[in-house]
Amino acid sequence: MVGSELMQTDFIVVGAGIAGLRAAITLAQHAEVLVVTKEQLGESNTSYAQGGIAVAISGEEDVEQHWRDTLAAGDGLVDTDAARVLVTEGPARVGELLRWGTSFDRYMSGERRGELMLTREGAHSNNRILHAHGDATGAEIGRALLEHARTHPRIRFREWSSLVDLLVDDHGLVAGVTLLGRDSSSDSEIRAQAVLLASGGAGQVYSDTTNPAVATGDGIAAAWRAGTAIEDMEFYQFHPTALSLPGVPRFLLSEALRGEGAVLVNDQGQRFMERYHPLLDLAPRDVVARAITREGLGEDAAPRPVYLDMRHVAAAGMDLRERFPGISAFLEQHGLRLERDLIPVRPAAHYLMGGVQTDVDGRTSLRGLYAAGEVACTGVHGANRLASNSLLEGLVFGARAAEAMLGDLPGAPTAGVTSAEPAPVEASSEGAAEPILLAELRSLMWREAGLLRDEAGLDRACTRLAEIGQLLGRGRDRASLELNNLHAVATLITRAASARQESRGGHFRSDYPRRDDLRFQKHSVVVSTAAPRFAAHRSGADAGAAARRQ
């Protein structure tokens, strides 16, 4: 790229959340690593994870049950090998976090004083959820990983840099990335032996989301444009309980609240989950989210409030401010208290089960490209992620991807990071309409491709997305890049949702309300502009071999 900043390193990690940092720590033991993050270090979905990290530290029986719980939540689509890897390697990875200074909550008194405190969340058979500082688990894990990563002299960080595209050579090998700087005045072409996408999810594709502003699907969109296989994009998890107040962001109200005894009630003060699932308020997230949506409509289809009620838990003696300090502080800013008030809730887009198709070692269908964390689809979550499995996923598969990167390129030379003076980049003159198009896209996706879907709505979404695509600018600035990436993600979601004519996990079609294993107990796969096809998830051996043959 003429006039750009030119750089070279051994490995590039795009994203500085739990998956990216864990991968970088392994890679740095053998080579130079550049970790790229779109904003400042610490701003990622990881830091917003309240609920906890699920890990079976109570023995082999709990490991086996964690595997079964993961399969059950995934509604018939979980890759059993990936789930086995997750639950069996999880305890060792969490042990590393403890050695690196992660401060998980422990019992403060009684016979178990000093032991790790384990709690339960929806669809878990046992207490196996670790928390940190009550409701700041992701932030604490991210802090510990970042501090440990900073001790490695071979890890370098580049903040305020947006992923533009992947560099693919004439042989189909991913050989680096193009990045855009903070002020959109310069871009960089960085070459490497291999690239790991750990760029997180895409919650900003929906108008209602618990995700931070950085979650714009950049890694998925770049991988798709490069020709990588994309899998299961129709499966978006809507967290059941986000705060529902006019003009207030959809602040996440952790599933741990219900794990500690909070219940859902309708506008008549009646519990209703018994009508939807035998696990009541701790049913799988897709079930609870749809139940809240239906209760919120009422018989006359007029919107009605649904509430989270924890007053009885406080009355029984739990100090909710101590147990949930972050949530309590945010609610009090808006005049609400867990121990006193009914808390209005509604679902919000939370987690993408689909993404860049990988094997259990992070290999994608393009040689030199790897992915881990929410950007990736190993099949470990199937159609619906089990609560608190996401942080564990980032740890386990971030480490495995790094090991695969090193193993696939034995003896990679240490190139170091060199740079030249950046050159100016032409600014976009097409940005005036971008905020309007972005708002329309997000509203369209929430309305037509959200919790409840049908053929007519998905057709409307696909048609309008095609029209929006013709209006998009190609400016070299962050807002334009993010809008184009969200448009790509929206297109992938709606096309896959339209093709899957059944209901399963996070994908519910009111015109096809039943699960259809005969036709659709398979994964949707999209490559480039081809129509979605349905196939079995590629095993680790198959995916890795395919990537190495290319």
Side-chain angles (χ1 to χ4, degrees), residues 7 11 40 59 122 154 219 261 330 391 505 536:
M7 303 177 66
F11 297 108
Q40 75 270 23
R154 285 181 157 182
F330 187 88
L391 291 174

Side-chain angles (χ1 to χ4, degrees), residues 316-533:
M318 179 176 286
D319 186 336
L320 299 182
R321 290 187 183 185
E322 180 180 351
R323 176 66 180 86
F324 301 105
I327 293 173
S328 295
F330 187 88
L331 290 177
E332 288 175 12
Q333 292 175 18
H334 301 282
L336 295 171
R337 292 173 61 175
L338 287 170
E339 66 271 20
R340 182 191 67 199
D341 300 306
L342 292 172
I343 311 300
V345 296
R346 63 179 293 179
H350 184 60
Y351 188 91
L352 177 62
M353 273 76 73
V356 179
Q357 185 189 67
T358 74
D359 66 5
V360 294
D361 296 309
R363 298 184 183 93
T364 74
S365 59
L366 288 183
R367 193 158 54 93
L369 180 65
Y370 301 76
E374 191 174 355
V375 69
C377 183
T378 62
V380 72
H381 303 306
N384 181 48
R385 176 175 65 84
L386 181 64
S388 290
N389 267 0
S390 57
L391 291 174
L392 190 69
E393 173 197 16
L395 278 180
V396 169
F397 292 104
R400 289 181 70 94
E403 290 165 356
M405 293 166 76
L406 292 167
D408 291 347
L409 295 167
T414 299
V417 179
T418 58
S419 63
E421 287 297 316
V425 175
E426 183 178 355
S428 171
S429 61
E430 303 170 317
E434 286 176 350
I436 298 173
L437 290 176
L438 176 60
E440 181 185 357
L441 182 149
R442 299 179 72 214
S443 176
L444 176 74
M445 288 298 291
W446 182 258
R447 184 175 64 251
E448 308 291 13
L451 261 169
L452 305 177
R453 305 164 176 176
D454 61 28
E455 182 177 8
L458 290 168
D459 284 348
R460 287 192 294 270
C462 288
T463 298
R464 183 54 185 156
L465 285 172
E467 295 169 350
I468 290 174
Q470 297 301 311
L471 301 174
L472 294 181
R474 297 295 184 268
R476 206 69 156 190
D477 59 86
R478 175 167 162 173
S480 180
L481 289 173
E482 290 182 339
L483 178 55
N484 277 274
N485 289 339
L486 287 171
H487 180 266
V489 169
T491 300
L492 288 164
I493 291 172
T494 52
R495 289 170 60 190
S498 183
R500 185 175 289 279
Q501 296 176 340
E502 65 157 358
S503 291
R504 183 188 298 268
H507 168 72
F508 186 85
R509 294 272 303 251
S510 56
D511 48 349
Y512 295 96
R514 293 180 178 81
R515 183 171 133 176
D516 184 351
D517 284 352
L518 184 63
R519 298 173 62 202
F520 293 109
Q521 197 168 17
K522 303 172 184 177
H523 300 266
S524 67
V525 181
V526 176
V527 179
S528 188
T529 59
R533 60 182 177 85

Side-chain angles (χ1 to χ4, degrees), residues 74-128:
D75 209 1
L77 272 191
V78 173
D79 182 276
T80 57
D81 292 339
R84 184 70 71 183
V85 166
L86 179 77
V87 301
T88 57
E89 297 185 8
R93 295 304 177 200
V94 170
E96 290 175 335
L97 290 181
L98 289 166
R99 292 195 299 275
W100 296 340
T102 307
S103 181
F104 289 116
D105 294 342
R106 297 175 183 270
Y107 292 102
M108 301 301 293
S109 61
E111 295 180 359
R112 305 186 67 182
R113 179 182 176 87
E115 293 182 18
L116 291 170
M117 182 184 297
L118 296 172
T119 64
R120 185 179 302 190
E121 293 181 4
H124 284 272
S125 299
N126 301 323
N127 288 20
R128 64 169 73 96

Side-chain angles (χ1 to χ4, degrees), residues 277-330:
H277 198 278
L279 290 177
L280 306 178
D281 301 274
L282 290 178
R285 286 180 174 176
D286 62 307
V287 175
V288 180
R290 285 193 294 272
I292 291 174
T293 299
R294 291 189 176 109
E295 292 292 323
L297 289 175
E299 294 182 0
D300 57 0
R304 298 181 179 182
V306 173
Y307 300 97
L308 195 70
D309 186 0
M310 208 170 188
R311 296 172 299 178
H312 58 288
V313 179
M318 179 176 286
D319 186 336
L320 299 182
R321 290 187 183 185
E322 180 180 351
R323 176 66 180 86
F324 301 105
I327 293 173
S328 295
F330 187 88

